[in-house]
Amino acid sequence: PVCLGMVLALLSLPGGWLMLLTAVLVKLLWMPELIGPWTLAVCLVLAIAGELIEALASAAGTSRFGGSQAGAVASIVGGLAGAVLGTFVIPSPIVGPILGAILGSALATFATEVRYKKRPTDQALHAATGAAIGRTAATIIKVFITGVGGLILLASGLVAWV
Protein backbone atom coordinates (compact mmCIF):
# COMPACT_ATOMS: atom_id res chain seq x y z
CA PRO A 1 0.00 0.00 0.00
CA VAL A 2 2.90 2.41 0.61
CA CYS A 3 4.14 2.43 -3.00
CA LEU A 4 0.60 2.52 -4.35
CA GLY A 5 -0.22 5.36 -1.97
CA MET A 6 2.76 7.37 -3.20
CA VAL A 7 1.85 6.77 -6.86
CA LEU A 8 -1.73 7.84 -6.18
CA ALA A 9 -0.47 10.97 -4.41
CA LEU A 10 1.70 11.70 -7.44
CA LEU A 11 -1.43 11.47 -9.59
CA SER A 12 -3.28 13.93 -7.33
CA LEU A 13 -5.36 11.10 -5.94
CA PRO A 14 -5.88 10.25 -2.25
CA GLY A 15 -2.88 7.95 -1.71
CA GLY A 16 -2.49 8.91 1.94
CA TRP A 17 -6.12 8.02 2.57
CA LEU A 18 -5.66 4.63 0.89
CA MET A 19 -2.72 3.85 3.18
CA LEU A 20 -4.68 4.97 6.23
CA LEU A 21 -7.71 2.89 5.24
CA THR A 22 -5.48 -0.13 4.68
CA ALA A 23 -3.87 0.36 8.10
CA VAL A 24 -7.28 0.64 9.79
CA LEU A 25 -8.48 -2.53 8.07
CA VAL A 26 -5.32 -4.38 9.11
CA LYS A 27 -5.88 -3.24 12.69
CA LEU A 28 -9.58 -4.13 12.75
CA LEU A 29 -9.64 -7.32 10.70
CA TRP A 30 -6.26 -8.96 10.77
CA MET A 31 -3.67 -8.00 13.40
CA PRO A 32 -4.90 -5.46 15.97
CA GLU A 33 -1.54 -5.37 17.74
CA LEU A 34 0.38 -4.49 14.58
CA ILE A 35 -0.63 -0.82 14.37
CA GLY A 36 -1.27 1.35 17.40
CA PRO A 37 -3.86 4.12 17.74
CA TRP A 38 -1.18 6.83 17.89
CA THR A 39 0.27 5.61 14.61
CA LEU A 40 -3.17 5.83 13.03
CA ALA A 41 -3.66 9.30 14.48
CA VAL A 42 -0.34 10.54 13.07
CA CYS A 43 -1.17 9.06 9.67
CA LEU A 44 -4.59 10.75 9.78
CA VAL A 45 -2.98 14.11 10.49
CA LEU A 46 -0.49 13.56 7.65
CA ALA A 47 -3.28 12.63 5.21
CA ILE A 48 -5.24 15.76 6.13
CA ALA A 49 -2.10 17.90 5.83
CA GLY A 50 -1.32 16.45 2.41
CA GLU A 51 -4.79 17.22 1.11
CA LEU A 52 -4.79 20.75 2.53
CA ILE A 53 -1.38 21.53 1.09
CA GLU A 54 -2.37 20.14 -2.28
CA ALA A 55 -5.56 22.17 -2.31
CA LEU A 56 -4.03 25.43 -1.15
CA ALA A 57 -0.53 25.51 -2.64
CA SER A 58 -1.57 26.66 -6.12
CA ALA A 59 -3.70 29.38 -4.53
CA ALA A 60 -0.75 30.44 -2.38
CA GLY A 61 1.49 30.53 -5.45
CA THR A 62 -1.05 32.63 -7.31
CA SER A 63 -1.30 35.10 -4.45
CA ARG A 64 2.47 35.22 -3.91
CA PHE A 65 2.94 36.09 -7.58
CA GLY A 66 0.43 38.93 -7.47
CA GLY A 67 -2.80 37.17 -8.40
CA SER A 68 -6.22 38.05 -7.04
CA GLN A 69 -8.39 35.98 -4.71
CA ALA A 70 -10.51 35.02 -7.70
CA GLY A 71 -7.36 33.87 -9.49
CA ALA A 72 -6.35 31.84 -6.44
CA VAL A 73 -9.72 30.09 -6.33
CA ALA A 74 -9.52 29.51 -10.08
CA SER A 75 -6.10 27.89 -9.62
CA ILE A 76 -7.61 25.32 -7.24
CA VAL A 77 -10.58 24.54 -9.47
CA GLY A 78 -8.40 24.55 -12.59
CA GLY A 79 -5.94 22.17 -10.97
CA LEU A 80 -8.66 19.67 -10.16
CA ALA A 81 -10.27 19.95 -13.59
CA GLY A 82 -6.88 19.79 -15.28
CA ALA A 83 -5.91 16.61 -13.42
CA VAL A 84 -9.09 14.92 -14.61
CA LEU A 85 -8.81 16.19 -18.20
CA GLY A 86 -5.09 15.43 -18.31
CA THR A 87 -5.84 11.81 -17.55
CA PHE A 88 -7.77 11.54 -20.82
CA VAL A 89 -6.03 14.11 -23.05
CA ILE A 90 -2.38 13.28 -22.34
CA PRO A 91 -1.90 9.58 -23.10
CA SER A 92 0.32 8.80 -20.10
CA PRO A 93 -1.39 7.64 -16.90
CA ILE A 94 1.25 9.31 -14.73
CA VAL A 95 2.27 12.36 -16.74
CA GLY A 96 -1.29 13.20 -17.85
CA PRO A 97 -2.81 14.04 -14.46
CA ILE A 98 0.32 15.81 -13.24
CA LEU A 99 0.71 18.04 -16.29
CA GLY A 100 -3.05 18.50 -16.46
CA ALA A 101 -3.17 19.76 -12.88
CA ILE A 102 -0.26 22.14 -13.39
CA LEU A 103 -1.56 23.48 -16.70
CA GLY A 104 -5.13 23.62 -15.40
CA SER A 105 -4.06 25.72 -12.42
CA ALA A 106 -2.07 28.08 -14.61
CA LEU A 107 -4.65 28.42 -17.39
CA ALA A 108 -7.57 28.97 -15.03
CA THR A 109 -5.60 31.60 -13.13
CA PHE A 110 -4.55 33.36 -16.32
CA ALA A 111 -8.08 33.35 -17.75
CA THR A 112 -9.58 34.65 -14.51
CA GLU A 113 -7.02 37.41 -14.11
CA VAL A 114 -7.42 38.61 -17.72
CA ARG A 115 -11.14 38.15 -18.23
CA TYR A 116 -12.69 38.93 -14.87
CA LYS A 117 -10.07 41.02 -13.12
CA LYS A 118 -9.06 42.91 -16.28
CA ARG A 119 -5.37 42.52 -15.47
CA PRO A 120 -2.73 43.12 -18.14
CA THR A 121 -1.45 39.97 -19.81
CA ASP A 122 1.99 40.18 -18.21
CA GLN A 123 0.53 40.39 -14.69
CA ALA A 124 -1.89 37.54 -15.41
CA LEU A 125 0.97 35.45 -16.78
CA HIS A 126 3.00 36.16 -13.65
CA ALA A 127 0.10 35.02 -11.42
CA ALA A 128 -0.38 31.92 -13.61
CA THR A 129 3.31 31.09 -13.20
CA GLY A 130 2.82 31.24 -9.44
CA ALA A 131 -0.14 28.88 -9.72
CA ALA A 132 1.94 26.40 -11.74
CA ILE A 133 4.86 26.58 -9.31
CA GLY A 134 2.53 26.17 -6.34
CA ARG A 135 0.78 23.18 -7.91
CA THR A 136 4.12 21.54 -8.74
CA ALA A 137 5.36 22.09 -5.20
CA ALA A 138 2.08 20.72 -3.84
CA THR A 139 2.49 17.48 -5.77
CA ILE A 140 6.06 17.01 -4.54
CA ILE A 141 5.12 17.80 -0.94
CA LYS A 142 2.08 15.51 -0.99
CA VAL A 143 4.14 12.60 -2.30
CA PHE A 144 6.73 13.26 0.42
CA ILE A 145 4.06 13.43 3.16
CA THR A 146 2.47 10.23 1.88
CA GLY A 147 5.89 8.56 1.92
CA VAL A 148 6.47 9.68 5.52
CA GLY A 149 3.09 8.23 6.49
CA GLY A 150 4.00 5.00 4.75
CA LEU A 151 7.35 4.80 6.52
CA ILE A 152 5.63 5.39 9.87
CA LEU A 153 3.22 2.54 9.13
CA LEU A 154 6.06 0.26 8.04
CA ALA A 155 8.13 1.10 11.11
CA SER A 156 5.14 0.54 13.37
CA GLY A 157 4.55 -2.85 11.79
CA LEU A 158 8.19 -3.84 12.06
CA VAL A 159 8.43 -2.82 15.71
CA ALA A 160 5.25 -4.71 16.56
CA TRP A 161 6.37 -7.72 14.52
CA VAL A 162 9.70 -8.07 16.35
Side-chain angles (χ1 to χ4, degrees):
V2 174
C3 291
L4 179 59
M6 290 180 71
V7 169
L8 289 175
L10 185 63
L11 299 176
S12 296
L13 294 171
W17 294 107
L18 173 70
M19 285 193 312
L20 182 61
L21 174 64
T22 303
V24 168
L25 290 175
V26 166
K27 182 166 184 62
L28 293 176
L29 302 176
W30 187 42
M31 297 181 75
E33 69 282 353
L34 192 62
I35 300 168
W38 285 105
T39 301
L40 293 176
V42 168
C43 289
L44 174 63
V45 168
L46 288 173
I48 291 169
E51 296 300 324
L52 287 174
I53 289 169
E54 184 180 37
L56 300 176
S58 61
T62 299
S63 296
R64 179 98 168 125
F65 278 64
S68 65
Q69 282 186 329
V73 171
S75 73
I76 295 170
V77 174
L80 293 172
V84 172
L85 288 173
T87 302
F88 300 107
V89 174
I90 301 171
S92 170
I94 293 178
V95 175
I98 296 168
L99 279 180
I102 293 167
L103 292 173
S105 288
L107 291 173
T109 299
F110 181 81
T112 300
E113 294 294 331
V114 169
R115 179 154 173 104
Y116 298 108
K117 291 299 183 177
K118 309 295 186 208
R119 298 263 170 102
T121 304
D122 62 331
Q123 287 180 5
L125 187 58
H126 193 66
T129 301
I133 291 170
R135 184 61 198 198
T136 302
T139 300
I140 293 167
I141 292 167
K142 185 176 179 186
V143 170
F144 177 77
I145 288 173
T146 302
V148 168
L151 288 175
I152 289 170
L153 287 172
L154 285 174
S156 172
L158 288 174
V159 167
W161 196 270
V162 174

